[in-house]
Each structure stands twice: as C-alpha cells, then as structure tokens.
C-alpha cells in the first residue's frame, strides 16, 4: 500500500522542484542582462539587438521587468560600464579618469546612474556631459574625472552612492556592431585612487 | 550496489524535474512582457492618469511631457538626463494614430515606437524627415490595409505608414538639450509634436 503513495509524493516533489528551478532560472537570466547579442568593448556593453524589431524573448522580458524603453538603433546606441578598464567594479569611494577616443556620432552624452538606471544626486549638480558642452583641449580631445570631491575641468560626481554605472549614449552613430572593436579605440576608465 | 539502484531509481524523477523546469522557464520568459507589473507602458499610463485626472483623454492622445530630469528614480529607468522627453500613448481600437512634427531646429529629435513591453518596432530621427516634416500613421494591419485600398493612383500618400504589432503602445519623443540652458527649447520641440487619432476612411 505504501509504494503508490510514495510515487505520488515523488511526483509532487518533482513538480515543485521543477517549478522552483524554472522560475529561478528565469529570474536569474532576466535580472542578469538583456538577452543575446551583447556588444562588448573593454568594460562597455551595448545591446544593439534589443533596440530593433529583431529583439529576442530574453531581452524583451528584461525590458518589461525593468520598465525600460530603449533607444532605437536608428536613434543611437547606449553603452553601460559597471567596471573600469582593468575590470574592477566601479566604486563611489574611488576617483576615475575617463578619456578619449570615442567612435563617430552626431552627438554623444556621458553620465552616471545608479545600477537600476536612476540619475544620482551629487554636489557637482550635473547629471552628465554632452559632446557640445564638455570642455575640450586643443585638438578636440577631452578628459573627465569622476570623484566625490570637486575637481577642475570636466567633473562628474557619484555623490553618496557607493555603486554606480557610467552610461555613454552615441546618437546616430555609424558604429558597426557586428564587427569587434578594439578597446584601445574606445573610452578608457582608469582608476586614480581610493579614499 | 544499493547506491547505484537508488541512483537509477531517482534518474527518471530528476529528468522529469529538469523537463518541467525547462518548460516553466520558457513559458515564464515568454509571458513576462504580458505579466510584468511595472513595464514601460504601465508606468506611462499611470503617470498620464495621475498627471491630468480631469483631462485624461488629452493625456492619452496628445503628448504627455516628462518632468525635467532630476536625481532619483525617474518615470522610466536609463533615460538620458540631457534629453527633454514626451510620450504619445496610443490605443488603435479608437483609430490609427497620426503623428506630425515640423523640424525647425537643427538639433537632435528622436522618435521611437514601442509595444507595451517596451520593445521597439520602429525608430526615426529628425535627419530622416521629408522636407522638414515627419508625418507618420500607426495602425493595425486592417487599418493600414484599408488606407492602401482607398489610395488614389494620382496622389501618392505623403505619410509613412507603420503597422503596429499590438493595439496598445507608445511613441517616445526625445529632444536633445545640448547644454543645460537649452532644456526649455528642447522641451518646446517635444511639445511641437502632435499626436491625434485619425478618422478611419
């Protein structure tokens, strides 16, 4: 009499474990990224396939979960960096130096955001720079410092946030996202030191 | 020996667990855009309702302007603080959406067409305007087909026609403020966009 009851219990546990595992994998994949087709240059990541009609189900699920409305591919391309060029996660207690070069684009903007995508309150009272209002050296190159403490020149501050991401938006860029791009030809993020 | 027996006895159950997990995973990923409670469209509808409770109809069919960017969570995450933004929500059950813009400044203006999950089905910038004008009709497959059958041969249609993948959706309008002091001007170019329900032929 015990054997059939035992089998029902096993079937029940099987279903329960299957459900938990399935939802767990969904949660992990949806939270971790925007699907397939990531375009990586050094610490920067863009998701060109999430910005057109050929979006995959994982990217679509991720967008819906985060409530995001991405840029269209014809509008531009968004790169997010959560680590410096050496691979260490960006830390609000550290200072960083960000410098040229950048791929061609009609306009670009560079700003800091929380990992969930909200602009950060900061003493610089500046949420970001655009290609038109950043201060450049002779020849057009620029450099920018990220620090909690006031700096001369182009300065962005993460404020009190310990974790932040750098968001670079290239508007109307002819950048080819099917080819690999040399990180040396993209914005570099170099850690200067920490508190 | 007993251990091997036990393992082979459990193997079918483990396989069944994995199979169920796989099915649950695939189904939940595909359903996520429909059931996610805070997707972009839901956020925008909520904002439109709380913004203009007395006049919800214009908020639904005209352009709803976003608040100026400020520190802290915004209406939509990962939006560019250098952009003045607005949105047209559409419901094609009421008729096709007609969107018109006159491009007068040389600054960036981007339009992206989204389904409720936030996925994009079309995008265009001021660079792609036709003689300084952008004129777009968004309809479902039936509405677009009716327009095409009612077209006369002499006068080709002036507007771009888009077939929306779902009856609900939104058009996000972004105008670049090159400097913080340009924000009001960028906001004015978002306001200059008109979204209205087009009468069906």
């Amino acid at each position: 009499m015990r054997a059939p009851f035992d089998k029902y219990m096993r079937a029940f546990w099987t279903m329960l474990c299957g459900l938990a595992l399935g939802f767990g994998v969904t949660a992990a994949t949806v939270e971790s990224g925007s699907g397939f087709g990531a375009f990586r240059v050094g610490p920067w990541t863009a998701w060109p396939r999430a910005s057109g009609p050929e979006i995959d189900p994982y990217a679509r699920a991720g967008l819906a979960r985060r409530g995001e409305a991405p840029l269209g591919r014809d509008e531009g391309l968004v790169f997010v960096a959560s680590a410096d060029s050496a691979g260490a996660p960006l830390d609000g207690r550290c200072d960083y130096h960000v410098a040229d070069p950048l791929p061609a684009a009609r306009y670009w903007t560079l700003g800091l955001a929380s990992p969930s995508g909200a602009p950060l309150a900061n003493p610089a009272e500046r949420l970001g720079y655009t290609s038109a209002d950043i201060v450049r050296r002779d020849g057009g190159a620029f450099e920018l410092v990220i620090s909690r403490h006031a700096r001369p020149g182009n300065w962005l501050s993460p404020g009190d946030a310990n974790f932040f991401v750098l968001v670079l938006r290239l508007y109307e860029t002819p950048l080819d996202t099917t080819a690999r791009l040399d990180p040396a030809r993209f914005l570099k993020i170099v850690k200067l030191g920490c508190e | 020996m007993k251990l091997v027996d036990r393992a082979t006895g459990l193997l079918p159950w483990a396989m069944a667990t994995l199979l169920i997990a796989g099915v649950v995973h695939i189904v939940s990923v595909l359903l996520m855009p429909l059931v996610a409670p805070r997707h972009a469209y839901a956020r925008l509808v909520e904002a439109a309702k709380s913004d203009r409770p007395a006049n919800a109809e214009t908020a639904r069919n005209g352009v709803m302007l976003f608040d100026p960017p400020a520190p802290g969570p915004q209406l939509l995450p990962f939006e560019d603080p250098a952009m003045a933004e607005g949105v047209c929500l559409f419901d094609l059950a009421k008729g096709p959406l007609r969107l018109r813009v006159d491009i007068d400044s040389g600054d960036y203006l981007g339009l992206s067409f989204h389904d409720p999950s936030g996925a994009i089905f079309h995008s265009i910038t001021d660079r792609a305007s036709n003689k300084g004008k952008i004129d777009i009709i968004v309809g479902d497959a039936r509405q677009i087909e009716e327009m095409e059958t009612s077209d006369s041969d002499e006068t080709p249609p002036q507007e771009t026609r888009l077939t929306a993948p779902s009856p609900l959706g939104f058009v996000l309008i972004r105008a670049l403020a090159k400097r913080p002091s340009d924000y009001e001007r960028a906001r004015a170019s978002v306001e200059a966009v008109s979204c209205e329900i087009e009468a069906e032929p």
Side-chain angles (χ1 to χ4, degrees):
Chain A
M1 274 313 277
R2 204 174 158 273
F5 182 69
D6 202 37
K7 279 215 167 84
Y8 280 115
M9 281 308 286
R10 272 188 190 174
F12 174 74
W13 282 112
T14 301
M15 277 189 255
L16 213 63
C17 292
L19 275 172
L21 194 63
F23 283 125
V25 172
T26 299
T29 49
V30 168
E31 295 297 331
S32 70
S34 298
F36 303 105
F39 179 67
R40 292 196 169 86
V41 196
W44 301 93
T45 310
W47 304 91
R49 268 165 50 185
S51 55
E54 67 280 15
I55 186 168
D56 64 74
Y58 286 94
R60 189 185 282 267
L63 287 185
R65 178 78 189 82
R66 294 188 301 272
E68 206 178 312
L71 273 185
R73 186 64 188 88
D74 294 336
E75 294 178 281
L77 202 54
V78 181
F79 285 87
V80 177
S82 53
D84 63 21
S85 290
L90 295 177
D91 188 327
R93 292 164 297 186
C94 300
D95 290 3
Y96 296 91
H97 180 258
V98 181
D100 273 326
L102 261 177
R106 183 175 162 197
Y107 295 108
W108 55 257
T109 70
L110 184 62
L112 304 183
S114 74
S116 62
L120 298 170
N122 65 81
E125 291 185 351
R126 192 178 247 287
L127 300 175
Y129 281 94
T130 73
S131 49
D133 73 351
I134 199 158
V135 179
R136 294 168 189 268
R137 291 194 305 259
D138 290 341
F142 69 89
E143 49 193 7
L144 178 141
V145 175
I146 300 167
S147 172
R148 278 186 177 167
H149 308 292
R151 291 284 183 273
N154 301 309
W155 167 48
L156 285 176
S157 166
D160 294 332
N162 282 329
F163 303 101
F164 66 94
V165 295
L166 253 170
V167 188
L168 170 71
R169 300 172 178 89
L170 302 173
Y171 291 102
E172 290 185 285
T173 171
L175 190 67
D176 179 10
T177 54
T178 55
R180 285 185 67 85
L181 190 66
D182 182 3
R185 294 173 56 198
F186 213 84
L187 275 192
K188 281 174 284 293
I189 311 165
V190 180
K191 192 188 280 188
L192 297 173
C194 298
E195 276 171 22
Chain B
M1 200 59 206
K2 214 180 162 202
L3 203 68
V4 176
D5 277 355
R6 224 180 128 76
T8 46
L10 280 175
L11 191 64
W13 298 104
M15 282 162 64
T17 304
L18 286 181
L19 196 71
I20 293 171
V23 171
V24 168
H25 171 59
I26 291 168
V27 170
S28 57
V29 166
L30 291 177
L31 281 181
M32 181 77 83
L34 303 175
V35 299
R38 300 276 295 143
H39 60 48
Y41 184 77
R43 288 170 187 241
L44 294 169
V45 168
E46 192 183 300
K49 279 184 182 150
S50 61
D51 220 26
R52 283 159 232 190
N55 201 359
E57 200 57 28
T58 46
R60 257 186 102 75
N61 294 304
V63 178
M64 180 181 81
L65 292 173
F66 286 19
D67 292 336
Q74 304 291 294
L75 188 51
L76 300 175
F78 283 107
E79 288 304 319
D80 192 341
M83 290 278 173
E85 300 189 23
V87 69
C88 295
L89 296 163
F90 63 78
D91 179 358
L92 299 177
K94 293 178 184 165
L97 173 86
R98 181 153 207 162
L99 187 148
R100 284 195 188 95
V101 202
D102 287 332
I103 308 294
D104 44 9
S105 73
D107 288 342
Y108 173 92
L109 182 80
L111 302 169
S112 53
F113 297 75
H114 302 259
D115 73 10
S117 72
I120 287 183
F121 62 91
H122 188 72
S123 61
I124 185 173
T125 69
D126 59 307
R127 282 266 168 100
S129 69
N130 180 13
K131 291 173 196 152
K133 285 184 197 306
I134 294 177
D135 191 354
I136 295 174
I137 291 191
V138 184
D140 59 23
R142 183 188 59 77
Q143 289 162 344
I144 297 293
E145 204 171 297
E146 277 178 13
M147 277 175 228
E148 273 163 12
T149 51
S150 67
D151 278 347
S152 64
D153 291 338
E154 290 94 58
T155 51
Q158 297 298 306
E159 74 277 357
T160 310
R161 289 166 184 172
L162 292 177
T163 307
S166 61
L168 295 177
F170 60 94
V171 186
L172 209 56
I173 306 153
R174 298 180 174 101
L176 179 70
K178 286 196 278 188
R179 293 171 185 80
S181 56
D182 288 339
Y183 183 80
E184 284 308 318
R185 211 175 58 183
R187 200 174 160 95
S189 44
V190 174
E191 260 176 317
V193 177
S194 92
C195 292
E196 50 198 20
I197 297 175
E198 178 89 342
E200 295 206 41

